Amino acid sequence: MKAIGKAISWLITGLSSVAGIMVVLLVCHVTIDVAMRFVFETPLNATILYVSAFYMVAIAFLPLAAVEEKDSHIAVELLVERFPTRVQSVIAVFASLITFIVTATVAVRTGQEAMAKYATGSYSIEAGGKIITWPTYFVLPLGFGLMALVALWKIYGMVTGRETGLC
């Protein structure tokens, strides 16, 4: 049980690290673009495409599971915190179940879209060059799929009363 939770946490750490690396790459890319634009009057081609299609997608969606793992999503507990502990536990299981259903559904649907983009070889034309964009479509099913897995694993832990092994 704990070993599976540790493996899930390891995957979460890996994806979050990739998102962190993407932040650094984004800052470097934009800094170089600005320097090239003002010093040499020759900006880098396709910076906006790389920022919007590659960096920002990874930064926004890869760490979703990390936020779910640490229960860091926005929550308003004005009323629920006054309920008995047993009722709070039932509500927590129900909320995690809804989270699982929604994120699993989004993961499946975005996965279908990613496969369609892969099959067609999706790309963008920027500054006369062809930039392949289909790989970015796989970030969403990866982020939402891992978030769904975390929610499901938390439900299992809550229902069985066993330690999940998640960080």
Side-chain angles (χ1 to χ4, degrees):
M1 176 85 176
K2 280 188 176 182
I4 295 171
K6 294 291 182 193
I8 293 170
S9 289
W10 182 81
L11 284 172
I12 291 168
T13 301
L15 287 183
S16 296
S17 297
V18 170
I21 291 167
M22 295 304 267
V23 169
V24 173
L25 290 174
L26 179 142
V27 169
C28 292
H29 192 147
V30 170
T31 301
I32 292 168
D33 181 52
V34 169
M36 294 290 291
R37 179 179 314 249
F38 290 109
V39 174
F40 301 108
E41 295 181 8
T42 309
L44 296 176
N45 291 329
T47 296
I48 292 174
L49 175 66
Y50 285 114
V51 168
S52 62
F54 291 92
Y55 301 129
M56 294 305 290
V57 171
I59 292 166
F61 293 103
L62 289 180
L64 284 176
V67 178
E68 178 64 23
E69 178 185 36
K70 295 179 181 13
D71 290 322
S72 297
H73 287 286
I74 296 171
V76 179
E77 301 172 344
L78 296 173
L79 185 61
V80 175
E81 67 186 8
R82 300 187 197 304
F83 291 165
T85 306
R86 180 76 179 138
V87 175
Q88 288 182 23
S89 297
V90 170
I91 291 171
V93 169
F94 183 68
S96 292
L97 182 61
I98 290 172
T99 299
F100 168 71
I101 291 168
V102 169
T103 55
T105 302
V106 172
V108 168
R109 180 61 192 107
T110 57
Q112 292 167 341
E113 185 67 20
M115 290 306 293
K117 295 297 182 182
Y118 170 73
T120 60
S122 180
Y123 63 90
S124 288
I125 302 292
E126 194 73 30
K130 179 177 167 181
I131 299 172
I132 296 171
T133 58
W134 64 260
T136 64
Y137 287 89
F138 286 93
V139 171
L140 275 75
L142 192 59
F144 281 110
L146 192 54
M147 185 175 171
L149 180 61
V150 170
L152 183 64
W153 198 245
K154 285 168 65 176
I155 292 168
Y156 178 73
M158 287 185 267
V159 169
T160 63
R162 297 173 73 182
E163 181 65 37
T164 61
L166 296 172
C167 293

